[in-house]
Amino acid sequence: MNKLFFYFIFTFVVYTSLFAQKQTLFLDANYESIIAESKRENKPVAIMFYANWCSHCKKMKEEVFVDSDVIKFFSESYICFAVDAESITGTALKNKLQTKFLVKSYPTFAFIDKNENLLSCISGELKKEAFILEGTKALITENQFIFLRDKFNSDISNPENCLRFIIATRKAGFDATEITQKYLKTKSESELFTELNWKIIANGINNIDAKEVSLIVAKKEEFAKAASLTRVEKKLIFLAADNLKPLADLGDTLHYNKKRPIAASFQIRKVDSLLFHYDLTIDSYSQNWKHYKKTAEYSVDKFAWKDSTTLVEIANNYLAYIEDKKSLDHAVSLAKQALTLGESLDKYILIVNLYNKEKEYNNALIYANKGKAVATNFGWKTEKLDKLLEDLKKH
């Protein structure tokens, strides 16, 4: 009898534990139905925009949404639902709400009232405590987007109001440059060099061609006294990366070439290194191999001499697209430098192929044999190298 009793108790505990781990928050639902429920219950809505491939979304579903404190708070405070942001339904919802907030990454959580006004927005994976805190802050009128907007507009010269509205605007996915510029017009240049005004500029100015960027560059020392040189340069580095990398990745030569001189004027080594890599990317995309060679030959020793991945990438592009011997000799030197940073069979094969393209078969054979010896020592597969050695014996 006792054994049977304990068996039932054990089964109940296991079953209860498993049930408690089942996600009950942020389940997929129909938006219109959720809004109708929000009006009936007089409760705001918390929306999770997720993607099926997003590991951060999955982690929150498995670890955060099953937490009893999270369940209690959000169940009592919000009508919660989730939507696959990349589905037809999710795309339509993003489009419907795009004047209120933008979904740029996953997960994105939007808190809206029953009339579909934005209260607050936050993106990224959040731990339990931070998630509850964001939900709590969104319920407080003084933290809500419309309140912050109206308070800023009532006195655009107030720095505290401006900074809070900038942060809320950026969390909603929008650019805050225009807001920042409205505020800055109320100040003389000499008034700008304070800690608070630096925070406003650093958070609010994110277009590299905004006139305030040239002011940061011209008055770097004055801003550094208010903040620090590290923070000022970190902002300029961010501007270069945030504005130019997407253009390089898209091969948008026109806009890239317009914005690039601004970044170059920063005269910061880290920015120059970024421009070197972006130049290679956009030249490769547009197949401007003449300029690609110029960039590589002028700057590779300054910005990539200890970067094996970039050295191999450049050498491979030379192998594929460039013919003159001087350039191929340069590619060989890059591949050899990459080899000194770490041996791999692919690097040996690259050097052999470069020598083959130059018709320097003796050098090709030397490196093919070196590669074979290293590969044998490490137990690497050598089919590609064996084929190269077989072909080299014919010369």
Side-chain angles (χ1 to χ4, degrees):
M1 187 71 170
N2 286 340
K3 287 184 178 180
L4 185 60
F5 173 76
F6 283 116
Y7 171 80
F8 279 121
I9 292 294
F10 175 78
T11 303
F12 175 77
V13 170
V14 170
Y15 176 82
T16 303
S17 176
L18 289 173
F19 180 79
Q21 293 300 311
K22 185 178 180 181
Q23 181 190 344
T24 57
L25 281 179
F26 295 99
L27 302 176
D28 287 40
N30 175 267
Y31 177 72
E32 285 71 22
S33 299
I34 291 293
I35 293 298
E37 184 179 352
S38 171
K39 290 177 179 178
R40 286 195 307 272
E41 299 288 332
N42 194 30
K43 289 167 67 173
V45 175
I47 312 170
M48 177 195 190
F49 290 86
Y50 71 90
N52 288 322
W53 50 263
C54 170
S55 60
H56 301 292
C57 304
K58 184 178 180 182
K59 190 171 182 182
M60 287 196 72
K61 288 181 178 182
E62 293 176 347
E63 298 180 9
V64 178
F65 299 162
V66 297
D67 181 90
S68 59
D69 292 334
V70 173
I71 293 171
K72 183 176 188 298
F73 171 77
F74 278 93
S75 296
E76 293 176 352
S77 304
Y78 292 94
I79 307 296
C80 302
F81 89 106
V83 61
D84 179 353
E86 297 186 345
S87 67
I88 295 174
T89 301
T91 300
L93 184 57
K94 285 190 296 183
N95 291 338
K96 174 183 173 68
L97 299 173
Q98 65 183 343
T99 60
K100 304 175 190 296
F101 60 88
L102 299 175
V103 178
K104 293 183 173 181
S105 60
Y106 307 122
T108 287
F109 296 92
F111 304 99
I112 64 175
D113 66 18
K114 63 183 180 181
N115 297 314
E116 303 177 73
N117 296 310
L118 179 67
L119 304 178
S120 183
C121 196
I122 189 73
S123 296
E125 180 187 330
L126 298 169
K127 300 298 184 184
K128 164 189 168 179
E129 293 79 8
F131 191 45
I132 292 176
L133 178 61
E134 289 295 334
T136 302
K137 290 193 298 184
L139 295 172
I140 301 170
T141 301
E142 290 76 10
N143 295 329
Q144 293 169 1
F145 186 86
I146 292 176
F147 178 89
L148 296 173
R149 180 197 65 193
D150 292 344
K151 192 167 185 182
F152 167 71
N153 287 330
S154 69
D155 180 8
I156 62 173
S157 68
N158 184 291
E160 289 83 5
N161 294 347
C162 179
L163 182 58
R164 292 193 71 202
F165 185 42
I166 284 171
I167 293 171
T169 298
R170 292 191 61 190
K171 287 171 71 175
F174 297 115
D175 180 72
T177 299
E178 185 177 343
I179 298 165
T180 310
Q181 290 174 333
K182 281 183 180 180
Y183 165 79
L184 293 175
K185 285 179 181 178
T186 70
K187 308 298 177 186
S188 66
E189 184 177 296
S190 62
E191 292 178 295
L192 298 180
F193 308 117
T194 67
E195 169 74 13
L196 184 53
N197 281 331
W198 171 252
K199 288 181 179 179
I200 289 170
I201 292 170
N203 282 279
I205 300 298
N206 291 294
N207 294 333
I208 199 170
D209 44 5
K211 62 181 181 180
E212 289 78 12
V213 174
S214 61
L215 178 66
I216 295 172
V217 176
K219 301 293 182 178
K220 187 188 293 188
E221 291 183 5
E222 287 86 343
F223 281 115
K225 289 176 183 177
S228 71
L229 182 60
T230 298
R231 288 168 65 189
V232 174
E233 291 194 342
K234 185 177 180 180
K235 173 63 179 177
L236 293 172
I237 293 167
F238 171 82
L239 282 167
D242 192 53
N243 283 261
L244 292 173
K245 187 178 186 300
L247 299 176
D249 289 343
L250 291 171
D252 188 345
T253 306
L254 178 64
H255 291 99
Y256 178 81
N257 288 334
K258 284 183 178 179
K259 295 176 184 290
R260 187 192 186 285
I262 302 171
S265 73
F266 297 170
Q267 296 184 355
I268 299 173
R269 179 177 173 81
K270 176 62 176 177
V271 173
D272 293 340
S273 177
L274 291 174
L275 293 177
F276 163 71
H277 286 88
Y278 300 158
D279 286 350
L280 292 178
T281 298
I282 205 160
D283 287 342
S284 176
Y285 190 96
S286 61
Q287 297 196 338
N288 185 351
W289 301 115
K290 182 177 180 180
H291 192 267
Y292 186 96
K293 280 200 312 176
K294 183 179 178 181
T295 299
E297 290 166 11
Y298 180 75
S299 299
V300 69
D301 59 330
K302 290 189 287 186
F303 302 123
W305 199 242
K306 297 295 184 181
D307 180 356
S308 177
T309 300
T310 299
L311 293 173
V312 168
E313 179 184 320
I314 294 171
N316 271 311
N317 278 327
Y318 274 50
L319 176 64
Y321 302 108
I322 294 170
E323 302 295 333
D324 66 282
K325 188 176 189 311
K326 181 180 177 182
S327 296
L328 291 172
D329 284 342
H330 184 234
V332 169
S333 70
L334 300 184
K336 287 181 178 179
Q337 169 61 13
L339 194 62
T340 67
L341 298 173
E343 288 188 307
S344 75
L345 191 57
D346 287 342
K347 292 173 185 176
Y348 279 105
I349 291 172
L350 174 58
I351 295 170
V352 173
N353 283 327
L354 285 165
Y355 275 133
N356 271 340
K357 189 169 183 177
E358 292 188 275
K359 295 183 171 53
E360 292 194 13
Y361 301 119
N362 287 337
N363 285 329
L365 185 60
I366 290 170
Y367 273 87
N369 284 321
K370 284 183 178 180
K372 177 74 173 180
V374 171
T376 301
N377 184 49
F378 284 101
W380 297 337
K381 295 181 179 179
T382 61
E383 290 87 348
K384 290 183 180 178
L385 195 57
D386 290 338
K387 180 67 169 61
L388 287 172
L389 278 166
E390 183 179 333
D391 292 340
L392 283 168
K393 291 175 183 177
K394 299 175 183 177
H395 292 286

